[in-house]
């Protein structure tokens, strides 16, 4: 996976401009109050877009990600913003340590790249271990409807005159999983386009299965809502949010 993200890291920010990261900050503030002075773990932090926004609110942020190329972009972003943020290369399944964080976030379906129940459970256990008593975990995942219906309506295309892609999807081997092949075309200074390819697998689980795994670890579920709204999931919800507390 690390190698797969090497070139993707160079275009990631351009593709994420419509993601409401400010809304994610507000959701975390609603869950734990003012972020100033709070220790927050940003799991699957990517290029640090959310990490920086959290730090600008006064949080003491640590970001982890599997891809060192993504983290290099994140480190430069923090430097450019004159922020002190610790970034570490670490798979989320390997989180472990002493309880020192007030909150953890796994934003923008990063957890869906963890494709077995055992690894999801291990991720929850690791986060539980590093949260203080009363600490909060906030994360979102794709719904089973999105996996089984929306994603399989491809192929999808994108073109903003700087970056273009063709995104083809097919049903994965496991239930509620999708295999994606993306061909990217990035415009160079010469006016010619450079092509690179990405292959990704994502998997989700039903809402009640996530709830069971969280409870097995010891988390208390405070909220389950969908699609950035304070409403419970329904049959055609696309993004499911969980707010849980240690």
């Amino acid at each position: 996976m690390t190698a797969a993200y090497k070139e993707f890291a160079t275009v990631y920010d351009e593709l994420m401009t419509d993601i409401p990261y400010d809304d994610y900050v507000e959701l975390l503030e609603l869950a734990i109050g003012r972020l100033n002075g709070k220790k927050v773990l940003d799991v699957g932090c990517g290029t640090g877009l959310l990490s920086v926004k959290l730090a600008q609110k006064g949080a003491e942020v640590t970001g982890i990600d599997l891809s060192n190329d993504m983290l290099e972009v994140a480190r430069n972003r923090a430097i450019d913003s004159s922020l002190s943020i610790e970034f570490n290369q670490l798979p989320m399944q390997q989180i472990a340590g002493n309880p020192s964080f007030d909150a953890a976030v796994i934003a923008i379906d990063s957890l869906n790249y963890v494709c077995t129940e055992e690894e999801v459970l291990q991720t929850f256990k690791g986060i539980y271990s590093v949260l203080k008593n009363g600490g909060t975990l906030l994360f979102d995942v794709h719904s089973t409807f999105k996996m089984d219906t929306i994603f399989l309506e491809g192929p999808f295309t994108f073109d903003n005159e700087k970056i273009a892609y063709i995104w083809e999807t097919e049903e994965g081997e496991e239930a509620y999983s999708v295999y994606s092949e993306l061909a990217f075309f990035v415009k160079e200074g010469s006016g010619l386009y450079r092509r690179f390819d990405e292959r990704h697998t994502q998997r989700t689980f039903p809402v009640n299965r996530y709830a069971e795994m969280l409870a097995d670890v010891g988390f208390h579920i405070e909220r389950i809502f969908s699609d950035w709204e304070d409403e419970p999931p329904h049959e055609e919800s696309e993004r499911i949010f969980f707010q849980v507390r240690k």
Side-chain angles (χ1 to χ4, degrees), residues 67-167:
S67 168
N68 194 53
D69 295 286
M70 291 280 201
L71 291 172
E72 192 60 33
V73 176
R75 292 184 185 104
N76 289 331
R77 168 172 278 112
I79 291 170
D80 291 344
S81 301
S82 301
L83 294 169
S84 177
I85 303 175
E86 179 181 349
F87 290 106
N88 297 310
Q89 185 178 13
L90 183 72
M92 66 178 74
Q93 306 93 305
Q94 295 180 17
I95 295 171
N98 297 318
S100 59
F101 289 95
D102 298 290
V105 293
I106 318 174
I108 316 304
D109 54 80
S110 293
L111 185 62
N112 290 131
Y113 285 95
V114 178
C115 292
T116 69
E117 285 195 11
E118 292 78 11
E119 289 183 312
V120 172
L121 191 60
Q122 190 60 42
T123 299
F124 289 157
K125 287 179 177 178
I127 292 174
Y128 190 90
S129 75
V130 300
L131 285 176
K132 299 175 183 176
N133 288 333
T136 294
L137 167 61
L138 177 67
F139 69 94
D140 68 272
V141 290
H142 294 311
S143 68
T144 55
F145 170 76
K146 190 171 185 179
M147 285 293 197
D148 287 350
T149 303
I150 302 297
F151 276 139
L152 298 183
E153 292 175 350
F156 307 99
T157 60
F158 172 86
D159 185 356
N160 67 358
E161 299 185 354
K162 293 181 288 184
I163 299 168
Y165 67 66
I166 301 171
W167 175 12

Side-chain angles (χ1 to χ4, degrees), residues 150-201:
I150 302 297
F151 276 139
L152 298 183
E153 292 175 350
F156 307 99
T157 60
F158 172 86
D159 185 356
N160 67 358
E161 299 185 354
K162 293 181 288 184
I163 299 168
Y165 67 66
I166 301 171
W167 175 12
E168 297 183 287
T169 59
E170 63 181 58
E171 187 176 356
E173 294 181 1
E174 304 289 344
Y176 312 122
S177 67
V178 170
Y179 176 73
S180 299
E181 290 193 359
L182 300 98
F184 286 92
F185 304 88
V186 181
K187 194 172 186 179
E188 306 278 275
S190 63
L192 299 177
Y193 283 81
R194 170 176 57 88
R195 173 177 173 165
F196 68 91
D197 297 283
E198 290 279 324
R199 295 172 179 84
H200 297 269
T201 300

